[in-house]
Amino acid sequence: MSDEAVKYLYSKRGGPFHDKSCPKAQHIPDEELGYSEKYLSNISQCPLCAVKAYVRLGAKDFYNYPLYERLFRRMRFTPVLLRRMYVNEKIRTSASSNGLTIWGKEDSWRLEFWDGSDTMRLMHNNYYPLPDGTRIFTGGYHLQAERATANYAFTAISGYTYADHKAAMLKREQEQFALKVDVLPEGFSAKKDDLSGAKKKVFWVWKKFIELLRKFFRKRSKCTCKPWRQADLPGWMLLHLKWWGGTASPQTRFAFAALFVVGARLLCYTESYARAFFERGEAYQWNVGTK
Ligand SMILES: [Zn+2]
Ligand SMILES: [Zn+2]
C-alpha cells in the first residue's frame, strides 16, 4: 500500500480510528499499526481527528480543509451530523468561501450564506422532467429553502430521490383533483348517458380525431410520450431530436420540427377546447382517465 493511498490509521490491538494526520496516532507502536484507504465505520472514531477524517472521506477538495473548519463552525455542523452526512449517507461536498456544494443520492445542492450574514439558504440543482419519467440536469440552481440550517439541509438532501419526489407530487395532484371534484356545481355527472344525442355525436367524432392524432404522434416517434400535453412537448422534442434530425437536410429538419410543434400545439388546444366544451360530460372523465 503506498503512503499516498493511506488515509487512516488504527491500532490492530484495538482503540480508536484516526485520520492519518492525528497526533494521537503517532503513539501507536509500528508492529500494531494498521493502515486503511477506506473509512472503517465499525471502529469507533477518535474525537480529536473526527472532523478531518470525515472531510477526508467525503470532500472532493480535501486541500480546502481549513476552509471546511471555518464553514462548519459558522454553519453549526456538529461532528455527529458530519458523521451521519459523510459516513452514513456517503454524501460528497466541495467548499467555497460562501458555502458548500453537496452531492446527495442523485442531486446536487448548495448550502450557502446570503444577505451578507450567517443566514443560509438551500439551493437545488435545476432539472427538466422528460416524458419518459427520467430528467435531464439543465445546470444552475433554484431556491429550495430561503432559511436553512445544517440539520434542515442534511434531512432534505439525504432523503431526496426523484422517484419519491414525483410520487409526492402525484399524490398532491390527486388530492387537489379530489378537492375540485367535491366543489363541482350541482348537476355535474361524468356519465355518458347525460350527454344529449347531438352532443354525443360531435363528441364521438372529436374524440376519434384526437385519438388519431395521438396515434400518429406515438407511431412516428415509437414511444409513449404525450406531446399534446403542454408540459410534455419540450421534453418530447428533446427526446426525439435525433428522430426529426436524422440525416435530412437542414430545411427538411426545420420543416419537420415546425410541423410537429404546430401539430402538437393544435392537439393541446383541441383537447383543452374539448374539455371546456364537454365540461359536464364524458369528456371530463375522459380527460381525467387519459391524463
Ligand atoms: Zn485521532
Ligand atoms: Zn417520446
Side-chain angles (χ1 to χ4, degrees):
M1 196 181 291
S2 78
D3 282 359
E4 278 292 290
V6 171
K7 291 181 172 174
Y8 307 104
L9 301 173
Y10 60 97
S11 165
K12 287 170 185 163
R13 296 184 57 187
F17 196 63
H18 297 278
D19 184 81
K20 68 175 173 187
S21 69
C22 184
K24 281 195 175 175
Q26 313 304 314
H27 306 307
I28 304 171
D30 282 355
E31 63 274 18
E32 292 175 19
L33 197 58
Y35 304 89
S36 184
E37 292 178 39
K38 293 207 174 99
Y39 190 89
L40 304 177
S41 56
N42 56 333
I43 308 178
S44 75
Q45 170 65 49
C46 158
L48 185 67
C49 60
V51 174
K52 201 164 192 175
Y54 301 151
V55 173
R56 201 185 291 278
L57 171 67
K60 295 188 179 186
D61 50 350
F62 178 72
Y63 55 86
N64 269 333
Y65 182 67
L67 178 59
Y68 273 103
E69 274 191 308
R70 287 200 301 277
L71 282 173
F72 289 155
R73 254 198 309 276
R74 204 174 152 200
M75 293 176 152
R76 294 168 201 271
F77 272 96
T78 62
V80 174
L81 184 57
L82 290 173
R83 182 179 182 87
R84 286 169 64 198
M85 188 164 103
Y86 288 121
V87 180
N88 300 358
E89 297 296 331
K90 300 181 174 58
I91 281 170
R92 307 293 317 268
T93 57
S94 77
S96 66
S97 58
N98 79 325
L100 290 172
T101 305
I102 306 172
W103 286 269
K105 289 188 182 78
E106 304 158 357
D107 293 60
S108 67
W109 310 72
R110 290 271 314 157
L111 181 61
E112 60 188 24
F113 300 109
W114 63 288
D115 207 12
S117 70
D118 279 2
T119 315
M120 293 188 288
R121 64 183 176 191
L122 184 64
M123 312 289 284
H124 182 204
N125 56 201
N126 292 327
Y127 62 83
Y128 191 92
L130 294 174
D132 66 356
T134 63
R135 53 184 175 156
I136 48 166
F137 294 102
T138 48
Y141 292 86
H142 61 268
L143 185 67
Q144 183 79 18
E146 214 164 344
R147 292 192 183 251
T149 62
N151 258 307
Y152 170 86
F154 169 75
T155 310
I157 293 167
S158 62
Y160 185 96
T161 65
Y162 185 52
D164 286 352
H165 171 73
K166 274 198 301 189
M169 296 303 281
L170 184 68
K171 201 173 157 225
R172 206 166 73 180
E173 219 171 88
Q174 282 166 343
E175 281 166 3
Q176 275 168 359
F177 178 72
L179 226 61
K180 256 189 228 162
V181 170
D182 281 349
V183 297
L184 275 175
E186 219 167 291
F188 166 80
S189 169
K191 281 185 194 140
K192 242 185 215 167
D193 306 336
D194 289 359
L195 284 173
S196 71
K199 261 192 177 178
K200 220 183 207 168
K201 269 176 207 147
V202 177
F203 176 65
W204 186 86
V205 173
W206 206 323
K207 191 174 157 182
K208 286 289 160 206
F209 171 66
I210 288 171
E211 277 171 5
L212 200 79
L213 280 176
R214 284 183 170 188
K215 228 185 235 166
F216 170 78
F217 275 94
R218 278 192 179 154
K219 210 177 208 167
R220 299 312 297 261
S221 51
K222 295 190 187 81
C223 71
T224 55
C225 296
K226 301 187 183 87
W228 51 85
R229 282 188 60 192
Q230 218 148 314
D232 273 4
L233 182 60
W236 173 79
M237 292 194 61
L238 275 171
L239 268 184
H240 299 294
L241 273 177
K242 241 195 218 147
W243 183 80
W244 56 263
T247 51
S249 71
Q251 290 90 334
T252 318
R253 275 196 246 170
F254 182 78
F256 264 129
L259 186 78
F260 269 53
V261 172
V262 170
R265 293 306 305 168
L266 190 77
L267 206 43
C268 280
Y269 289 128
T270 310
E271 283 218 343
S272 48
Y273 193 66
R275 192 179 308 144
F277 191 81
F278 295 107
E279 200 177 7
R280 293 182 176 209
E282 189 197 6
Y284 199 92
Q285 196 173 38
W286 178 55
N287 269 300
V288 175
T290 52
K291 193 179 172 332

